């Protein structure tokens, strides 16, 4: 099979997998250029396509192509040059050079995430101020700094911004930015391969240690023990430690109390869902950077309709920019309603039990099928009761309907669950705060 034929088959397979609407908008405009040194070179109309495909379907092209040419390949995108503004291209080249230079030192920061690109509003003002203070005086201002908030609200942006600011002012600083999952994986690997000395030397001799999504260590006793000692080694020598999480330290469970107390020794700052005005400001800055002509009425429409997080808001803007570039049409509210109909929720859309189950399972690190099963173990039964309670107070579903959504439970089981949760909320203030957190998260739907 020649390479052109393989590409044609790859395109057909992608269309079957992603659906016609997604395929027509994002994959159909791709043009195969060549296969060079195990790299598939594809031309895209502009960088919106490249970013969207890499964010939403990473690896799909290479994975499918490999099946037809029977050899491992990677994908390289070539942006159609006439569509790229010289100034923007210059900025991107500078960012790529910076990224490569830092990566050679084992520092994997995004050059796009800097303080100047972060829009400050009431929802993130405190976290931004704390991040600025730490960046200006690492190890002295707030140590550790613990930032928490929902997915896509700017935690990773702030953590990268801190790292980039410190690097700019102290180029020789020893810094490590890593997700908690990486810390865990490296710890397990070092234990199995008798390389703990290397692991300790790597993590305990940093000037700045930044760990993202620290909630990942919940339930991992070995990782928690090692992080505790790593924390102490850095803290005692006044090295800066920064954590992020999707929830406050008191809600990360199960976790050792001594480690939980370490998280709260410095400053805890939260990021909330931004108001409409802040979201419009974010869209304004992002559209200016990306070169998207986004009218104010469209900006308001997106800001008022996308209630989940900033990441989804930016994804909508990028999709509109790509559609406008592809069709030559000016972006309007009507275009946005049509192009984004799979992402925009109607105001009248009712809250569903299924959505509540998804949020609760995410919070307790469970699969939806777990709380629908007949298991009665504490780690399953309790989250199930919470989900039933929230379904009763947040949806219009009857008790019987709620029970059916939990694997066919009867209405008496739902009543019992609701009574238990309600009673505990009245007696346990910390538990009540957790329920309020979940209610707030669900209502941002």
């Amino acid at each position: 099979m020649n390479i052109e034929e393989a590409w044609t088959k790859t395109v057909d397979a992608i269309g079957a997998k992603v659906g016609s609407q997604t395929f027509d908008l994002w994959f159909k405009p791709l043009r195969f250029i060549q296969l060079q040194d195990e790299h598939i070179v594809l031309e895209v109309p502009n960088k919106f396509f490249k970013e969207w495909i890499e964010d939403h379907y990473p690896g799909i092209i290479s994975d499918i192509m490999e099946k037809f040419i029977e050899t491992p390949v990677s994908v390289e995108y070539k942006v159609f040059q006439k569509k790229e503004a010289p100034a923007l291209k210059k900025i991107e080249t500078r960012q790529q050079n910076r990224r490569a230079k830092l990566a050679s030192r084992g520092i994997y920061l995004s050059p796009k995430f800097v303080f100047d690109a972060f829009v400050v509003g009431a929802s993130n003002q405190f976290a931004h101020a704390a991040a600025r203070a730490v960046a200006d005086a690492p190890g002295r201002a707030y140590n550790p700094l613990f930032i928490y908030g929902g997915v896509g609200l700017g935690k990773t942006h702030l953590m990268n911004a801190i790292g980039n600011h410190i690097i700019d002012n102290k180029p020789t600083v020893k810094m490590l930015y890593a997700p908690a999952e990486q810390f865990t994986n490296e710890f397990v690997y070092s234990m199995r391969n008798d390389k703990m000395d290397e692991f300790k030397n790597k993590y305990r001799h940093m000037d700045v240690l930044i760990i993202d999504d620290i909630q990942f260590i919940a339930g991992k006793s070995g990782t928690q023990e090692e992080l505790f000692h790593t924390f102490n080694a850095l803290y005692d020598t006044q090295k800066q430690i920064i954590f992020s999480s999707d929830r406050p330290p008191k809600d990360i469970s199960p976790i050792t109390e001594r480690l939980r107390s370490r998280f709260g020794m410095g400053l805890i700052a939260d990021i909330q869902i931004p108001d409409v005005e802040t979201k419009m400001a974010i869209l304004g800055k992002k559209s200016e950077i990306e070169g998207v002509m986004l009218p104010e009425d469209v900006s308001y429409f997106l800001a008022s309709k996308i209630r989940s997080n900033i990441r989804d808001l930016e994804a909508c803007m990028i999709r509109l920019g790509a559609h406008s570039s592809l069709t030559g049409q000016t972006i309007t509210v009507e275009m946005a309603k049509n192009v984004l109909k799979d992402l925009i929720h109607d105001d009248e859309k009712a809250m569903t039990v299924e959505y509540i189950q998804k949020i609760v399972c995410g919070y307790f690190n469970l699969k939806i099928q777990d709380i629908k099963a007949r298991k009665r173990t504490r780690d399953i039964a309790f989250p199930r009761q919470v989900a039933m309670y929230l379904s009763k107070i947040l949806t219009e579903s009857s008790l019987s309907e709620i029970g059916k959504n939990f694997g066919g439970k009867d209405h008496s089981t739902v009543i019992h669950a609701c009574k238990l949760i309600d009673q505990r909320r009245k007696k346990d203030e910390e538990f009540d705060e957790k329920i309020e957190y979940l209610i707030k998260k669900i209502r941002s739907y």
Side-chain angles (χ1 to χ4, degrees):
M1 182 183 299
N2 62 41
I3 189 63
E4 286 79 11
E5 186 180 353
W7 171 246
T8 299
K9 290 184 175 293
T10 298
V11 170
D12 291 340
I14 291 173
K17 190 168 186 177
V18 304
S20 59
Q21 184 178 354
T22 299
F23 174 77
D24 289 343
L25 183 56
W26 297 105
F27 291 94
K28 192 174 181 179
L30 300 182
R31 189 170 72 86
F32 175 80
I33 298 178
Q34 63 180 353
L35 175 64
Q36 184 180 36
D37 299 328
E38 297 184 349
H39 293 290
I40 307 169
V41 182
L42 303 176
E43 185 178 81
V44 292
N46 55 48
K47 70 189 185 69
F48 299 124
F49 284 80
K50 173 181 179 296
E51 291 179 356
W52 194 90
I53 293 171
E54 289 178 338
D55 285 346
H56 293 80
Y57 290 95
I60 187 174
I61 297 174
S62 56
D63 290 346
I64 293 177
M65 189 79 165
E66 286 172 7
K67 296 177 182 178
F68 295 114
I69 63 176
E70 299 180 346
T71 185
V73 291
S74 60
V75 178
E76 179 180 327
Y77 295 99
K78 180 180 179 183
V79 177
F80 185 48
Q81 293 300 315
K82 290 183 180 179
K83 298 286 185 180
E84 199 69 63
L88 188 57
K89 185 175 179 63
K90 187 175 181 179
I91 292 173
E92 288 183 342
T93 301
R94 187 164 62 245
Q95 289 180 343
Q96 290 169 1
N97 291 339
R98 177 186 174 91
R99 188 194 297 267
K101 185 177 180 180
L102 292 178
S104 67
R105 295 169 51 191
I107 303 173
Y108 298 95
L109 296 171
S110 170
K112 294 194 298 183
F113 290 151
V114 294
F115 284 118
D116 286 346
F118 190 86
V119 176
V120 182
S123 60
N124 57 30
Q125 189 173 21
F126 181 64
H128 174 264
R132 273 284 194 183
V134 167
D136 289 335
R140 300 195 304 275
Y142 303 111
N143 200 23
L145 174 62
F146 192 104
I147 302 173
Y148 74 91
V151 174
L153 295 182
K155 302 187 301 296
T156 298
H157 188 142
L158 279 182
M159 296 177 80
N160 275 266
I162 294 171
N164 280 315
H165 186 84
I166 294 174
I167 287 287
D168 287 341
N169 290 278
K170 299 180 179 180
T172 60
V173 70
K174 293 175 67 177
M175 178 186 296
L176 181 63
Y177 172 88
E181 185 174 7
Q182 177 182 322
F183 183 90
T184 297
N185 292 341
E186 289 186 19
F187 169 69
V188 172
Y189 173 83
S190 299
M191 286 283 289
R192 289 177 178 173
N193 295 278
D194 196 25
K195 293 186 176 182
M196 280 306 297
D197 287 341
E198 292 181 23
F199 178 86
K200 292 176 182 178
N201 185 62
K202 174 181 178 180
Y203 279 93
R204 298 186 188 182
H205 293 85
M206 291 289 158
D207 297 316
V208 180
L209 177 62
I210 307 173
I211 298 185
D212 214 347
D213 291 324
I214 199 65
Q215 76 277 356
F216 182 82
I217 69 169
K220 299 176 174 65
S221 57
T223 300
Q224 292 179 29
E225 181 72 15
E226 183 55 36
L227 181 63
F228 174 78
H229 294 299
T230 298
F231 181 101
N232 289 340
L234 295 173
Y235 185 83
D236 290 344
T237 53
Q238 294 184 306
K239 307 302 183 183
Q240 182 66 52
I241 309 162
I242 306 165
F243 298 115
S244 84
S245 174
D246 65 352
R247 64 198 75 171
K250 61 184 177 63
D251 287 351
I252 301 176
S253 181
I255 193 174
T256 61
E257 285 306 315
R258 62 179 186 174
L259 187 55
R260 195 192 310 276
S261 70
R262 292 300 187 278
F263 290 159
M265 285 173 62
L267 182 68
I268 300 175
D270 70 324
I271 302 179
Q272 301 292 332
I273 295 174
D275 55 28
V276 171
E277 290 78 13
T278 303
K279 285 190 282 188
M280 288 183 69
I282 292 170
L283 281 172
K285 176 162 283 192
K286 186 71 175 178
S287 62
E288 182 180 346
I289 292 173
E290 301 292 357
V292 177
M293 297 296 292
L294 197 68
E296 187 172 346
D297 60 340
V298 177
S299 179
Y300 176 78
F301 173 75
L302 294 180
S304 59
K305 290 292 185 180
I306 303 300
R307 301 169 183 170
S308 49
N309 57 58
I310 304 305
R311 198 172 297 161
D312 289 345
L313 192 67
E314 292 180 353
C316 288
M317 186 207 70
I318 288 174
R319 185 186 289 195
L320 288 177
H323 186 83
S324 176
S325 175
L326 181 65
T327 63
Q329 297 177 357
T330 301
I331 297 175
T332 63
V333 172
E334 286 304 314
M335 176 202 281
K337 288 180 179 179
N338 182 51
V339 174
L340 305 174
K341 58 187 176 184
D342 58 326
L343 298 175
I344 300 294
H345 301 297
D346 294 331
D347 290 339
E348 297 79 17
K349 188 171 182 179
M351 181 65 65
T352 64
V353 175
E354 290 80 3
Y355 182 74
I356 292 173
Q357 289 174 333
K358 177 183 175 182
I359 296 298
V360 172
C361 285
Y363 183 82
F364 288 102
N365 296 316
L366 297 174
K367 296 178 180 177
I368 289 182
Q369 53 262 41
D370 290 336
I371 62 173
K372 290 186 176 183
R374 294 183 178 275
K375 295 180 182 178
R376 296 185 178 180
T377 55
R378 172 69 180 172
D379 60 328
I380 301 295
F382 178 64
R384 180 190 294 136
Q385 290 168 346
V386 170
M388 285 180 174
Y389 171 80
L390 293 173
S391 296
K392 180 179 182 296
I393 67 172
L394 296 177
T395 75
E396 297 180 0
S397 301
S398 67
L399 296 175
S400 296
E401 289 172 337
I402 293 172
K404 289 178 183 178
N405 278 278
F406 286 86
K409 305 292 188 298
D410 59 37
H411 74 284
S412 62
T413 302
V414 180
I415 292 174
H416 177 67
C418 292
K419 283 184 178 179
L420 287 177
I421 300 301
D422 189 50
Q423 289 171 0
R424 184 168 174 181
R425 288 190 71 180
K426 294 175 181 177
K427 297 178 181 178
D428 188 337
E429 184 178 346
E430 185 174 324
F431 176 71
D432 184 58
E433 289 178 359
K434 291 181 180 180
I435 297 298
E436 282 298 329
Y437 169 81
L438 284 169
I439 291 173
K440 193 171 184 179
K441 187 175 180 67
I442 291 167
R443 281 179 171 162
S444 67
Y445 170 68

